[in-house]
Every structure is written in structure tokens, then in C-alpha cells.
Amino acid sequence: MNSEAMERARAVEAQLTDDERFSLLISVMGTNEVLKDKDPRIPDGVPMSAGYTPGIPRLGIPALLMSDASLGVTNPGYREGDTATALPASIALGATFNPELARRSGRLVGREARSKGLNVQLAGGLNLHRDPRNGRNFEYLSEDPWLTGVLGAESVKGIQGEQVISTVKHFSLNCNETNRHWLDAVIDPAAHRESDLLAFEIAIERARPGSVMTGYNKVNGTYAGGNRTLLQDILKGAWGFPGWVMSDWGATPGWDFALQGQDQESGAQIDVMMWGKEPFTSPLRDAYAAGEFPKERLSGMVRRILYAIFDVGIDRWEGTPDVDLAAHADIALETARQGIVLLKNDGVLPLQPPSAGGAPLKIAVIGGHAQLGVPIGAGSSAVAPPGGYAEVHTVGGPGIMGSMRNLYLLPSSPLAELQRLLPDAAIEYDPGMSPAEAALLARRCDVALVFGIRLEGEGYDNADLSLPWGQDAVIEAVADANPATVVVLETGNPVAMPWLPKVRAVLAAWYPGQCGGRAIAEILTGAVNPSGKLPLTFPVGLDQTPRPELPGLGTPWGTPTTITYNEGSDVGYRWFARTGHRPLFAFGHGLSYTRFEYADLSVTHRGVVRAEFTITNAGQRRGADVPQLYLLEEPAGPRMRLLGFERVDLEPGESRTVTLDVDPRLPASFDTDRGQWHISAGSYRLALGHSAGNYALEADVTLPEKWFGR
Ligand code: BGC
């Protein structure tokens, strides 16, 4: 807590009129393609954005100008011609396992936002990947609370380091999009603390974001925005969060959310569309006049907003920062390079140029609009890159998000980049429209690269794990026609791979951002050694996941839906460990063109569990690896947890000693009766692995009993 900012917040709040106090409690959306009429509450000359809250100039309080920022600063039609660096999806950042890149991406977002006059970034999607159908998994970092919390914190620090407030969202358990406004996410409260809430807890304590955004969904029967247990007891109580809680856009059905811990209503016009009224304008004032909404609570809400403003310093901006778009493009490129995961490779990659004097390598590039660019996820996070999109295909769909459901392509063409890197190769393109046609080209080439894409996005869960538009059949036909077939996936989630045994290599490139085509080409050709690791488990099929059937999927918009997250805190790889299923590709898996060896694991406990080991690059090429430390067993039996990781860059033959200190909450359980974390006394088995399914070394450590935290 920044006591100076808190003192100032108290002093300034005391000087406000009630009208000024109430003015801070809502934000309104700018004019865009959906909201055609300009809201009269937004003065002329103010840059339009996802949310506008007026300032109080007489006391030096700036207006809040909020914009989406999961993958860069967005502009869904608010500001004509205004573009921004389009970063790879958060799931790709998760796959880098690189906190430093998360920090640099955050800095980029903060700096670009500030250069546009936007001072609150709706960034920091921290929900866990619980379901491979979730349409917004691409906006979230991983299935693991430690990886998500650590990377999320760095991104917030990066943004706020540029004196721009960052939010973390969507608090909590907004892990599916199906009927999200009517969705009740049910979970055991202790398991919630050990999973999704732990990711938020870690990010919030490390980075002190100014604001937290609630989810659309209910949690255990009560809307997240009106959920006293979550907001008051846990976030503000146990964790002592001093900033403000804003709702998601259109997630405030009633004024009484203010009594439960929500401090600000967001996107007020959407609440009118959704619920027929603006809850925080006249109804909240009426409740105040009637004595149902106490003055102390009103002041408290305002103080929280002021605290974040003063803590982050958005009232102290001096000048407009320069933006180096070329340097920012390099961050987007580096994130894509480090986030692309080589899932399978039987030696076909990197592509081998023919020996001197040989015939040029004939390469078929098939499908995925690879001649134009790379796709992004749809919805509020979509970023228009410098120069604009390469193409926008209108797709549409049921519900209010249908108008935002487009296939956007960023202009970084894998085909063009391959041609640039392999000038002597003969590369031809086939659109992948039909299996038979694609096979014709594949048959007369030395190698066939098939691009499989999927449009995923906000408001929709995927119905299954297959690739749309008949692409699985195209891959099958190409693999039948050419024994050297490589598949490049550009998706926001795992996909089923019925063709896997027939293809020789698979890359998961996610939505790789504005330099994604280049990063893909560099990895395929070996200019870059792949180093991404899966931030979520790839199941063979949905029957391996906790919910083979997704409740509510396919029901009309507005259908009340309950999803019971009965896996509790055993999300992703932990679920696989618990059930004994063998996934298609394990969490943490990712191949390289070199080889890493681990040795000399020692685990000690002197107040903190510390693991030490050496890692060696035992291959012929420079590369990066991410050794991962797991808990396998606690005294009561098997219990799997990622305890730590570190990304290490090594020259061929080079070794390094790595030390990992374990956060005590990771081997602990949360006890809701005592409201504390608990470590049982006894022996714990740990493993150092290349992934959650491939351990190199194991060690035991004995821990004393411990109760701690809140
Ligand atoms: C999304 C939020 C986003 C907000 C503002 C909502 O639809 O769920 O993540 O920040 O819109 O654009």
C-alpha cells in the first residue's frame, strides 16, 4: 500500500461534492460501430475509448480514458485511423514462460496507450484455461496459477511503469463464454483459492494493479460484481487490495452491487441494453437519498479510484511519450518467436535446403490464408495493426457479439516470409479450399506445409476441438499425397489431431501477432530455434477433459446455465495426473532443434523450499529451454503442482546452475474453515521435468507443518 497516495485520496475525497463523487462511479463507452450515437456525457475532443469517466479539473483529477489492451491497444472504430502494435495472443505469451517479455509487452501497451491519451488499460486477462473450448482462452495466459500470476504481474508492472493504470480481469472464474451473462460458475471455495483466485492473488500482490474487473458470470450463485465473498472478504479483506473494482461492460444489473464491493459501473450504455436501466446513475442516487446506500460506502468507492490514480500517477503525466513502432514490432516478433511451440518433429524440420547444385526445394504452402497474413482472436481485444488489417472476413453469429465476430488477418504473410528466407526454393500456394485440389499441389512438392486456422473469440465457446471449414480433411489429403507434411496451427486453443500419425511435424503458432508470419517462417527454416512450451494441456479429445459435454452449449442467448468446475483446483495437467489420462501433448511440452540435459537436482528446506540443478545444452545449436519443477506427491498421496520454472538461453555445450525458490502456497492446501493455507508435515516428492509428462530427475524433501496467510 502506498500510504502517501492513500492520504491524498482521503484528503481529495473529502473536498468533493456528492455530484462529483457520483460522477466517478460510472464509465460510458465511446461511439463505435455498435453504439452509433455519441454519448453526450463525453465532451468533444476527448479520444473515444471503451470507457470514459469525467475528471475533476478543479482538484487535478484527470478523466479516466479506458481501452482494451490484452494484446495491444485496441480501437474498435473509436478513433479513425488510429492503429497500434498487435502483439501475439496472451496464450502465446504464456507459452514463452518468459516474465521479462511479459514486462516488455506491458511497457509497450502502457507507452502506446499514453501516447494516445488513454490512461486505464483493460489488460491482464488472468482466468485459467479450464476448458479447451473457451472462446477467450487466447486472451488468457495459461492453465496454471503460478505461470499466470507471474506473467500477469509482469505485464501489469510494465503498463503501470508507464504511468498508466492496468486492470486485471475477469475476477473470477469467467472460464467459459457460453451464455456468459447468465452463467453460474460453481466451484468448491477452497479449490477456487488454490486455482483461479491464486493466479489473481499472485499478480495483485506482485504488481499492485490499480483496478480489478469482475467477470460477467456468477460464482456459486451470485454475480461476480455483486459477490461479497469474492470482492469484500477475499479481494479487499484477505488480500488488502486498495484499488477499485470495476464491472465488466454490461455486468451491473442493480445498484446494490455497490453494497457488495463493486466500486464502478463500466460501459453504462451496455447495462441499459442488457438490463433496461443504468444502475449507478439515478437508482444509486435514489438509494443514497433513501438512506439505503451509506455515505461512507460512497466515499470509500471514490477513495479507491483516487488511490489508484495517485498511486500509478496518471495525474502527473508530463508530455507525450515518443513511440518507437519499430522497437515495438521487435517485441511482437520476439514474443511470437519464443511462444511458438514445436509439438512434433521427426526430423523434417528445420527445412533442409538441397545440397549445392541440387534442384531447388519445392514447397507447397497450403491454406490458412497464408498468402495474406495470420489470424487473431475476435472480440474486444482485437488490435488494428499499423497499416491496418490485411483482410477482414465478416463471419457473424448469434447473440450480441455476432457483429464483432470477424476473421481478422494481420499482414504478416507466412508465404511471403518463407519466400524471403528461402529465395532459392520453389514455393507455390494453394488456398486449401478442397482436399483434392490441395493434394494435387502437395503431390508434386518435396514438402507440404499446411496452415490450419480457427476463428475463436469473445462471446462464443468452440463446439468441439476440430478445425473448421473442412481443414482436417485437407490435412489428411495432403498427408496422403506427400510424406513430408508439416502442419502449422494458428488457433487460440488445443485442437484434435486425427491426422497426427500421418504428418511429420506440427507447430502451434497460436495467434502470433503482427510479425507472426515471419516468426513462423524463421522457425520452419531454422533461422530461429523453437523454445515455446505449452501453457495448457492438449487433450486427445473432449472425453479426457472434466466436461465432455459443455452445459448450455448451443442454447439460445439468455439461457440460464450452470457449469460446475468439478475438477476444482486440478486444472489441466493436474486433472490428467488425477485421472491417469495420457494427453496428446502435455503441459510444458515443446521441442527444440537442440537437446537439454538436467543434472544434480538437490532440494532443501530452510524456511523456503529451494531446488538447485544444472542444465546443459547438449546439442549443436544455441537454444532456450524451460526446466519445470513439479510437486508429485504430498504426505497424503499424489498431488501435482507446478512449483517453479525458469527460461534459460544456452550456447551449445554451455551449462548453467538454476535455483528455484518455491512459493509456499503451491505445495499447500487452502483451509476455508481457518481461512489459511496449510502445509502438512511429512515428505514431499518433487520432479524436475521437460514437461508435466516427462520428468528427468526426482527428489524428496521433508516439510514441517505450517499454517500461514489469509
Ligand atoms: C469484455 C472485457 C472488455 C470490455 C470492454 C467486454 O465485453 O469482456 O474484457 O474489457 O468488454 O471492451
Side-chain angles (χ1 to χ4, degrees), residues 50 68 122 136 139 169-170 180 213 216 248-249 380 458:
D68 276 296
L122 312 170
R136 279 187 106 170
E139 280 189 69
K169 68 187 186 184
H170 309 89
R180 61 183 182 172
M213 186 195 298
Y216 282 121
D248 201 340
W249 271 234
S380 59
E458 189 176 336

Side-chain angles (χ1 to χ4, degrees), residues 236 241-244 263 297 300-308:
K236 296 180 179 177
F241 172 66
W244 92 94
D263 302 308
R297 177 67 189 126
M301 293 159 84
V302 169
R303 273 197 298 267
R304 286 176 171 280
I305 297 169
L306 295 175
Y307 170 81

Side-chain angles (χ1 to χ4, degrees), residues 616-641:
T616 302
N617 180 349
Q620 304 301 316
R621 302 170 66 116
R622 180 170 179 267
D625 187 31
V626 183
Q628 302 150 40
L629 184 71
Y630 291 96
L631 170 67
L632 299 185
E633 266 187 63
E634 59 176 6
R639 183 168 204 248
M640 193 160 182
R641 295 286 183 270

Side-chain angles (χ1 to χ4, degrees), residues 351-362 424 446:
L351 296 173
Q352 306 295 332
S355 45
L361 189 68
K362 284 185 278 176
D424 297 332
D446 301 314

Side-chain angles (χ1 to χ4, degrees), residues 380-417:
S380 59
S381 66
V383 178
Y389 294 114
E391 187 129 307
V392 181
H393 293 281
T394 307
V395 175
I400 60 171
M401 295 304 291
S403 64
M404 293 178 91
R405 201 177 184 210
N406 299 320
L407 175 64
Y408 298 98
L409 295 170
L410 301 176
S412 176
S413 151
L415 175 66
E417 293 293 341

Side-chain angles (χ1 to χ4, degrees), residues 564-589:
T564 303
Y565 292 99
N566 55 8
E567 70 275 27
S569 61
D570 284 330
V571 181
Y573 63 88
R574 303 177 190 172
W575 173 257
F576 280 77
R578 176 164 131 190
T579 56
H581 290 310
R582 237 185 112 79
L584 194 60
F585 295 107
F587 173 85
H589 167 77

